[in-house]
Amino acid sequence: MSNDFFVKVRRTIGFDGLISTIVGALIVFLPGRSARAAAGMVGAVFIAVGLFRLLSVFQKSIDNNWTRIGHVILSIIYLVAGVFIFMDMSVAAISLILVVGTLTGMTWLIEGIIQFALLNQLSANKVWSFLSALISVLGGLSLLFSPLMGGLLLWTFFGLLLMIIGIFKLIQFVTLKN
């Protein structure tokens, strides 16, 4: 491996580790503010998508008027959603956490049901597959019945993982030598 490439890889690992550690620490130690910042990023993306969709209405390649009307309506929906997010960032952050908790709960529940359905087709040890399916179903149901608490727990867990990964990357950055 060339020396320049090695230096670039090492710097990338260090930068990634630093960013991961900082973002993870912000999520763990300032969960409300970091969730509001994440909601603000979603709001900014909604406004940007709405503006770009609105600008696409004026392209000559769109011949159908119904397509133009659809783009205008969708643009307005994106713009209004983005503005609503910025109107009350705390409510937007709670809504974001609720959506994450609910969608994760639905995913785990469906995954557990599929695992139970495939349990008879497994030829190996069925005990671990059964336990995995049971944990997925119970975890999914608990998130669906309490999406706010589950979402907050997932948000904190995500922050902890980012911090741990970031710290390991920083250690890797420091210990990497030519």
Side-chain angles (χ1 to χ4, degrees):
M1 171 168 27
S2 72
N3 193 31
D4 289 339
F5 181 72
F6 177 79
V7 169
K8 288 178 184 177
V9 168
R10 185 174 178 267
R11 282 185 192 154
T12 303
I13 290 171
F15 182 72
D16 185 26
L18 183 65
I19 297 297
S20 296
T21 304
I22 290 170
V23 171
L26 288 174
I27 290 172
V28 170
F29 297 115
L30 300 170
R33 288 184 181 169
S34 61
R36 284 193 296 273
M41 286 184 234
V42 170
V45 168
F46 279 1
I47 290 173
V49 168
L51 289 174
F52 283 118
R53 280 199 168 273
L54 193 59
L55 290 174
S56 74
V57 169
F58 301 108
Q59 289 181 348
K60 303 250 188 250
S61 62
I62 300 176
D63 294 329
N64 189 346
N65 284 335
W66 287 108
T67 305
R68 286 184 197 275
I69 292 171
H71 277 285
V72 168
I73 292 171
L74 198 55
S75 300
I76 291 170
I77 291 171
Y78 273 115
L79 289 169
V80 168
V83 169
F84 272 121
I85 287 173
F86 282 111
M87 286 175 60
D88 193 350
M89 297 287 280
S90 296
V91 171
I94 291 170
S95 299
L96 179 65
I97 289 172
L98 279 170
V99 167
V100 168
T102 303
L103 291 178
T104 304
M106 289 170 46
T107 303
W108 286 354
L109 181 63
I110 292 169
E111 179 183 347
I113 291 170
I114 291 171
Q115 284 178 343
F116 274 130
L118 297 175
L119 198 58
N120 289 333
Q121 297 175 358
L122 299 173
S123 61
N125 191 350
K126 294 181 184 180
V127 173
W128 292 112
S129 299
F130 175 80
L131 287 175
S132 175
L134 183 65
I135 290 170
S136 291
V137 167
L138 292 176
L141 287 174
S142 69
L143 280 173
L144 288 176
F145 285 117
S146 180
L148 183 59
M149 273 314 261
L152 287 171
L153 184 65
L154 288 172
W155 186 247
T156 305
F157 183 68
F158 175 65
L160 285 171
L161 281 177
L162 272 178
M163 274 180 50
I164 291 168
I165 290 169
I167 289 169
F168 275 100
K169 286 187 177 191
L170 287 173
I171 291 170
Q172 183 182 14
F173 170 76
V174 170
T175 58
L176 277 177
K177 305 252 190 267
N178 276 341

